[in-house]
Structures are given as structure tokens and as C-alpha cells.
Amino acid sequence: MAQEEKKEEKEGYKFTVVKQIENTSVKDQYRSGTCWSFSSNSLLESELIRMGKGEVDLSEMYIVRRSYEDKEKDFVHMHGNLNFGGGGALNDILNVIDSYGLMPEEAYQGLTLGEEKHIHGEMDGALKAYVDDIIKNRNKKLSPVWFKGFEGLMDAYLGEVPEEFDYKGKKYTARSFADELGLKSDDYVMVSSYTHHPFYEKFILEVPDNWSWGEVYNVQMDDLTAIINNAIDNGYTVAWAGDVSEKGFSWSNGVAVVPEADIANMSDLERTKWEDMSQREKNAQLYSFEKPLPEKEITQEMRQKAFDNYTTTDDHGMHIVGTAKDQNGKLYFITKNSWNAKGNDYEGYMYMSEAFVKYKTMSMMLHKDALPKDLKMKLNIK
């Protein structure tokens, strides 16, 4: 009888946590383009824990609702020459705090009647159709109820916003709730890294979802990972916005890397075999995620080229909450996603390599005190 063949066991990625900052449970944005709200909310929830305020479940849809309203006004006033949709930027939550306040999830869930999860396709389409028609200006002037009509659509899809609500035995407004939490927009900064603007100065990040023209501090590429490491080391977390369209980003495997065949270290036979492979065969080896592989060395020039050529775009927002190392000692950033706690190997978390973060980060938001002291001084942040 033939001996039974043994199946080769895949090595896989084996992570050891270096440090992880306390954060709230993984949420599910489901079929809505609201990752920016989930990731920035998650950052503030960790901030509240750090500040000794306890665990608070903030309402993502309250931020979405208020941002949509402000975006609609700007869209109409700019005759439609503004990006309008469900997307947004990390700094949108800071604008909402300043203008309106915050609400807990229990006060404003923002769920369409009969739905258990967020499904925004019809809502996004209806809101866009409404504002498109408003700017046609069929009456040759705006009616006094044009904004009320928009609010009516938002009420229908997300529910009416309560003027007051009870939370833990006390009555609040959105304004008084935010004030009691003690979260201040001035305490948070945005950073990015591109060469088409001077380093260590502010600029408006030119991406479609930055509809409110939020400013970022421009730092060098290596500063990005230095900032994250310093933040985690000192008990802070980081909201992250970047591109997740690369083949090296695998949600099911819970890993984001920038793999590259190490041709220089191949034998002549291996190199010949590699060069004779089709691109499909190369991809199958590079992106199998069977074990950690060498990664590309990322440069500032590569970052800029990817931005300029639209191969790095503002796809997604997540929340960096810790650091870890793989079995080879390489550093990764533990990243909380908003695609439910199921469907990947780490119950809703990702492990992003340093190379991936350097290459694919578009912007980050964090408490100003989480910045390295020398960088904070260089940026003239008090």
C-alpha cells in the first residue's frame, strides 16, 4: 500500500504583540462608505479611555448626518463643484464637534427603519439627486425650504436627530455631551507626507473626500512611522487613512504588506525560473501570504509617484492601536478595521507592515501630544 503523502503545513504569519492600547469593540460599517467616521470615532473612544472617562460608544451616524448637511450647503453654494457623497475625511469629526457636539450610539443609531446594519446605497443616491436638482435653480432662486427638504431626506433614512437625550441617568444635548466628555478639536492634528508641498508646513490635502479642505502637516516619510511608534509607546492611538487597493492588502489574511521577490539573493537557477514566470504566476507567489516575504524598500519618490498617478487614493480609514512583530522580528502596526469582527484571521484587526504604512498612508490624525517632541517643535505646535 502506497504511503500516504503528508500535506505541507503552511508557515503563515505569526505575530507577537509588542504593545496594544485599549480600544473599543470592532464595529461594522457594512454597506456604507463611512469608514472615515468609524475610524475617527474609534480614535476618540480610545482617547476617552486614556483620559479616564471610561468606555463610551459614540454615534458614527451622528457624525455622518452632520457632515452630510454641511457638505450639502457647500455643494449648493459652489454650484455643484464639490465632491458629494458618503465619503469623508478624518478631520470631519473635529468640525462636527466644534459646530454641533457628539452623541452616544444609543441616542442616535442612524439605522433605516427595518435594517439592522448600515445600507446607504439608496440614501446616497437620493441625496445626490436632490442636491443636483437644487443647483439647477429652476425657480431662478433658492426657495426658503431647500435645506428643510434635505433634512427631511436625512430624517427618513437616518432618523430625526433628538434635541435632548438621556445618557446614564442624565439629560444632554449634543453640545453639552461633547463638552462634558472634554474632547477638543484643537488637541488633534492631521499629518501627511508629500513632496509637492514644503515639508514641516501645512497644506490642504488634494483628495476628493477632503471636501472641507482640511489642512495637514507635511512631514517626511520616515516621520510617519516614527509618529505612530511614539504614539503607541506613550499610550496614544492613531486614526489612519490610506489606500487598500493593493494586492498586498489582504482582509481575509489580516495582513497588509508590499512584497517583492528578493531576486538579488536568488541562485541562478531560481532567478531564471522567476524571470520565466508569467505575471500571474509571480503574483500567486508574492501574494499567497503563506509566510512573510521580503518587502520593497519604500522611498519618498515612490510615495509621491503613486499619489500623482492615482495608484494611491483615499480608499479607506482605520484605527492603529498597537505594534507587533512577526516571527522574523519585523515590525507591524495593529490596526482596527470597521468591517465586522468576522471574515478575517484576527477578529476584525489587521497587521500593516512598516513598508505598507510608508507607501500607502494618505493622512493620519492623532492627539498633538502623541507627536515626538522634536517634531512637535519643528511644526511649531504648542
Side-chain angles (χ1 to χ4, degrees):
M1 187 172 65
Q3 186 177 358
E4 185 179 346
E5 293 183 5
K6 293 183 179 179
K7 292 184 179 180
E8 184 179 351
E9 186 177 345
K10 295 180 181 179
E11 181 181 354
Y13 285 79
K14 297 178 176 64
F15 294 110
T16 301
V17 174
V18 176
K19 185 172 184 178
Q20 185 163 347
I21 310 303
E22 190 172 355
N23 58 96
T24 55
S25 63
V26 172
K27 310 300 192 302
D28 188 3
Q29 69 182 78
Y30 199 51
R31 287 158 54 188
S32 72
T34 58
C35 57
W36 54 274
S37 181
F38 278 83
S39 52
S40 57
N41 255 29
S42 184
L43 167 72
L44 295 188
E45 288 171 356
S46 282
E47 281 290 278
L48 291 170
I49 294 172
R50 181 187 65 80
M51 295 161 61
K53 303 282 186 175
E55 188 168 314
V56 181
D57 187 2
L58 297 173
S59 168
E60 291 84 12
M61 289 306 124
Y62 180 72
I63 306 302
V64 171
R65 166 73 185 250
R66 292 308 192 192
S67 295
Y68 241 139
E69 290 173 351
D70 286 347
K71 191 184 306 183
E72 186 252 5
K73 294 173 185 175
D74 287 352
F75 183 85
V76 171
H77 291 148
M78 292 192 66
H79 304 201
N81 295 308
L82 183 77
N83 191 49
F84 186 90
L90 297 174
N91 55 281
D92 288 350
I93 195 170
L94 304 180
N95 298 331
V96 172
I97 290 174
D98 284 344
S99 298
Y100 306 102
L102 292 167
M103 284 191 177
E105 177 71 12
E106 65 183 62
Y108 195 75
Q109 294 182 339
L111 288 169
T112 304
L113 187 64
E115 298 290 353
E116 295 182 356
K117 295 184 177 182
H118 304 293
I119 303 176
H120 285 185
E122 182 179 300
M123 180 186 80
D124 291 340
L127 295 174
K128 181 63 164 59
Y130 180 84
V131 294
D132 281 344
D133 202 65
I134 290 295
I135 64 174
K136 290 179 181 177
N137 202 16
R138 299 174 191 271
N139 292 350
K140 305 304 179 185
K141 63 178 181 179
L142 290 178
S143 76
V145 297
W146 69 274
F147 184 65
K148 287 184 178 180
F150 187 84
E151 287 183 306
L153 282 172
M154 296 295 289
D155 287 345
Y157 282 105
L158 297 182
E160 294 183 19
V161 178
E163 291 187 10
E164 293 184 328
F165 57 88
D166 292 321
Y167 182 72
K168 293 186 176 180
K170 187 175 178 180
K171 192 173 290 295
Y172 293 94
T173 64
R175 176 76 278 141
S176 65
F177 183 67
D179 291 345
E180 183 164 307
L181 291 178
L183 294 166
K184 300 177 181 178
S185 63
D186 290 345
D187 287 339
Y188 297 89
V189 294
M190 298 278 293
V191 295
S192 188
S193 177
Y194 290 110
T195 58
H196 64 291
H197 291 284
F199 285 127
Y200 306 113
E201 295 182 12
K202 280 185 176 183
F203 75 96
I204 295 173
L205 185 59
E206 306 97 331
V207 294
D209 281 338
N210 187 22
W211 61 273
S212 64
W213 305 301
E215 289 186 315
V216 297
Y217 286 96
N218 198 27
V219 300
Q220 297 194 45
M221 180 187 72
D222 289 339
D223 290 328
L224 294 175
T225 49
I227 287 170
I228 300 171
N229 280 315
N230 188 77
I232 298 299
D233 286 346
N234 289 281
Y236 295 86
T237 62
V238 180
W240 180 90
D243 186 293
V244 298
S245 62
E246 299 288 321
K247 291 185 178 69
F249 181 97
S250 174
W251 166 241
S252 60
N253 290 283
V255 175
V257 292
V258 191
E260 181 179 63
D262 192 0
I263 297 176
N265 293 332
M266 288 182 178
S267 67
D268 290 340
L269 181 62
E270 289 172 331
R271 186 178 305 183
T272 300
K273 182 179 178 181
W274 175 264
E275 291 173 349
D276 288 342
M277 286 182 185
S278 67
Q279 189 59 50
R280 183 175 182 179
E281 290 171 322
K282 290 178 181 177
N283 287 344
Q285 286 204 15
L286 287 173
Y287 306 113
S288 66
F289 299 97
E290 292 183 357
K291 63 179 180 179
L293 295 172
E295 293 188 85
K296 289 181 181 178
E297 184 176 344
I298 310 302
T299 66
Q300 190 82 54
E301 183 182 7
M302 287 173 63
R303 270 188 59 82
Q304 188 67 39
K305 186 177 180 181
F307 178 82
D308 291 340
N309 293 336
Y310 309 148
T311 55
T312 292
T313 56
D314 52 336
D315 291 340
H316 193 43
M318 299 188 289
H319 181 202
I320 297 175
V321 299
T323 52
K325 290 186 178 181
D326 68 12
Q327 60 264 49
N328 298 325
K330 184 185 290 186
L331 186 67
Y332 292 74
F333 298 109
I334 305 171
T335 308
K336 175 184 169 185
N337 203 352
S338 55
W339 292 347
N340 206 338
K342 300 178 181 178
N344 86 332
D345 289 345
Y346 303 104
E347 298 182 335
Y349 290 81
M350 299 283 299
Y351 288 82
M352 298 196 298
S353 72
E354 284 191 288
F356 186 87
V357 169
K358 287 181 178 180
Y359 192 27
K360 290 297 166 178
T361 298
M362 297 212 74
S363 64
M364 304 189 305
M365 185 171 74
L366 70 165
H367 196 285
K368 62 184 181 182
D369 290 342
L371 295 170
K373 290 182 179 179
D374 60 337
L375 184 59
K376 194 175 178 184
M377 290 180 62
K378 190 178 290 189
L379 296 173
N380 197 28
I381 296 174
K382 305 298 184 184

